[in-house]
Amino acid sequence: MKMDLEQLCKLLAQAKEKDADPMEDCNTYLLERVLRPLMRSETVLLKDVDFGQFDIEDIGQLVEYYESLEVQGGKLSQLAGALANIAPTACKSRRFC
């Protein structure tokens, strides 16, 4: 398998930055005050959570969002593994003076 890393870099540079998955359905409070701190391995104490900021349905939506991030992370890991397994090949043309 051959991979044109120069072309890959160009395509990545052209890609528009956006969130990995739409989070319009996610409760902002849960996302910013609970999920993201937990993902950064920060401690979130139950006594600090304002339970009036969200409903029970919001938790399910947050779980779906987290699961979609997990799936995307797995795909990214597979891509990185595939790239790491490609054997390097010598360039046929001179690249420096």
Side-chain angles (χ1 to χ4, degrees), residues 11-90:
L11 291 172
L12 288 173
Q14 292 173 358
K16 294 181 179 172
E17 188 174 328
K18 64 175 187 172
D19 284 324
D21 192 43
M23 51 189 180
E24 294 101 22
D25 294 337
C26 290
N27 179 290
T28 306
Y29 176 82
L30 285 175
L31 192 62
E32 297 298 329
R33 301 291 180 131
V34 178
L35 181 62
R36 289 192 175 148
L38 288 173
M39 291 174 69
R40 292 188 299 262
S41 299
E42 296 174 8
T43 302
V44 177
L45 300 175
L46 283 176
K47 69 178 184 121
D48 296 334
V49 176
D50 182 0
F51 290 93
Q53 293 287 328
F54 58 92
D55 296 325
I56 190 75
E57 295 85 20
D58 294 330
I59 296 172
Q61 292 168 341
L62 192 70
V63 168
E64 288 176 20
Y65 174 69
Y66 178 77
E67 288 172 348
S68 71
L69 289 179
E70 189 175 26
V71 168
Q72 291 176 5
K75 289 178 182 178
L76 204 58
S77 180
Q78 287 177 343
L79 176 61
L83 289 173
N85 288 329
I86 297 173
T89 57

